[in-house]
Every structure is written in structure tokens, then in C-alpha cells.
Amino acid sequence: MAVRVVIAEDEAIVRLDLKEILEEEGYDVVGETGRGDEAIELVRKQRPDLAILDIKMPGADGLTAARAISSERMAAVLILTAFSQRDLIDQARQAGALAYLVKPFQKSELLPAIEIALGRFEEMKALDEQVKSLEDRLEARKLVERAKGILMDEMGWREPDAFAWIRTTSMRERLQMPEIARRVIDGSLRPDPA
């Protein structure tokens, strides 16, 4: 499947050249604009893989658009600009740009910059998923620990017994252990008195 791209460049001729190069190389240009504020909306609507943003644009500059797009992890961001000052490069990086290309650019520079941006974006998404998974596991662990504590206090059980009851109940009820733990914590589930 072709990589989907949104282009935000206020110079129409540059935008046209960029679109032509991308389409020749098999990319799918799903939106284009000359305004930064419209770029953010286009990316939200089209959900492209990549947003190519000029820095200087009306409406909102490319750095503002990059910040919005990156903070919501909507697409990889490549900044395209006529300016190569160190402070602008730093600002672009802080805004979430994953690659930076100075105009006038060559096709031989554009394509590797795109691939770098896309690769970094995939790495970031994978890390986000890993963090989310770890957070979910930690939250589940906290729930089970709290429920064990409640059972130990109320039933006078040792920790292994409380854990075994949660695990056994989870299998019997066909629910995840954190769900059983939630029910113990909210008081809706208790062991049958022996």
C-alpha cells in the first residue's frame, strides 16, 4: 500500500514539484495546502503516514502545525524550509519533526529524508505501545495487590492463599484477574465463608 502524504507549502510551484516527485515515486498525496492551520485539519481528516510542512506559512507556521500533529501522533513530520539556521533546526526537532530538509532540495535528498521520518515514526509508535502495555500491566498488578491485601485483612489469609483465590476465581468466572480484583476492591465479590 502506498505511503499517504499531506503537503503544506505556501509556494504553489514548490508544492506542485513536490507532489509530482512524490507521485512519480509511488507515494499517494492525499491532501495539499498553503496554510499551516489547514495542514493540521487535513492531517486530522486524512490520517496520512507523513506530513511535509514548510516552516513559514500563513494561518499557522509549520512548527505550530508540527507540534499539533506530533503531540497527537497523527503522522510522521518532515520539515521543509529555505532556512537552515541551527536554532530553527532545534525548534523543528522540539516541535516533533523527524526529518528536516532545506530548499532547494534534490529528489535524492527528499526520498531518504522521507524514509528516515517514517522509520522514526514507526519506532515512536512501537515505543508508545510498549509503554502503554507496561502501564496496563502495572495497573493490573496494583489492582491484584490491593485485592490480595483486602482478602488477607478480611479473611485472615496468607498472601499465597489470597493470590490463589483470585487466580482460581478468575479462571472459574472466565474473567481477567484485574477484573476479579476490581470486584474485590469495590466489595461486590468475596469468598464464600467456609
Side-chain angles (χ1 to χ4, degrees):
M1 189 154 138
V3 172
R4 296 164 42 85
V5 183
V6 163
I7 301 169
E9 162 63 64
D10 64 336
E11 293 178 53
I13 190 79
V14 174
R15 195 167 63 232
L16 190 63
D17 284 348
L18 196 50
K19 181 178 180 180
E20 193 174 296
I21 290 170
L22 291 170
E23 288 178 343
E24 280 174 9
E25 291 298 318
Y27 294 91
D28 183 12
V29 177
V30 295
E32 48 184 302
T33 181
R35 299 177 53 91
D37 51 352
E38 288 176 7
I40 298 167
E41 289 312 308
L42 263 176
V43 169
R44 278 196 182 114
K45 183 179 167 201
Q46 295 293 336
R47 290 293 178 184
D49 302 298
L50 175 71
I52 299 177
L53 310 172
D54 187 14
I55 287 187
K56 305 285 186 202
M57 287 185 288
D61 67 16
L63 297 176
T64 301
R67 233 174 258 107
I69 293 165
S70 296
S71 70
E72 295 177 38
R73 295 281 197 264
M74 291 188 276
V77 174
L78 185 155
I79 293 287
L80 182 65
T81 182
F83 307 97
S84 61
Q85 295 98 325
R86 183 86 206 143
D87 68 317
L88 269 181
I89 295 169
D90 288 341
Q91 287 176 46
R93 187 175 34 79
Q94 290 165 6
L98 300 173
Y100 191 96
L101 196 57
V102 179
K103 296 185 274 188
F105 61 88
Q106 301 297 314
K107 181 169 147 178
S108 62
E109 300 165 325
L110 174 65
L111 300 178
I114 288 172
E115 292 307 314
I116 287 169
L118 292 170
R120 287 181 176 164
F121 188 66
E122 286 306 312
E123 288 170 8
M124 285 171 47
K125 286 196 315 191
L127 285 172
D128 284 349
E129 287 172 21
Q130 240 180 338
V131 167
K132 175 81 173 97
S133 171
L134 289 171
E135 286 171 346
D136 290 347
R137 286 174 32 202
L138 179 61
E139 187 57 34
R141 175 99 186 226
K142 286 179 183 177
L143 287 170
V144 171
E145 291 297 320
R146 262 184 77 199
K148 283 192 315 188
I150 290 169
L151 293 172
M152 289 163 64
D153 289 347
E154 289 182 8
M155 307 303 291
W157 288 350
R158 295 177 310 118
E159 185 198 8
D161 299 326
F163 181 78
W165 183 85
I166 293 169
R167 186 182 61 222
T168 304
T169 306
S170 166
M171 290 187 288
R172 185 180 66 244
E173 301 282 329
R174 295 191 174 159
L175 293 170
Q176 297 287 324
M177 285 177 57
E179 184 53 36
I180 297 298
R182 270 189 200 90
R183 291 171 60 190
V184 169
I185 292 165
D186 73 16
S188 67
L189 180 64
R190 286 294 184 271
D192 292 329

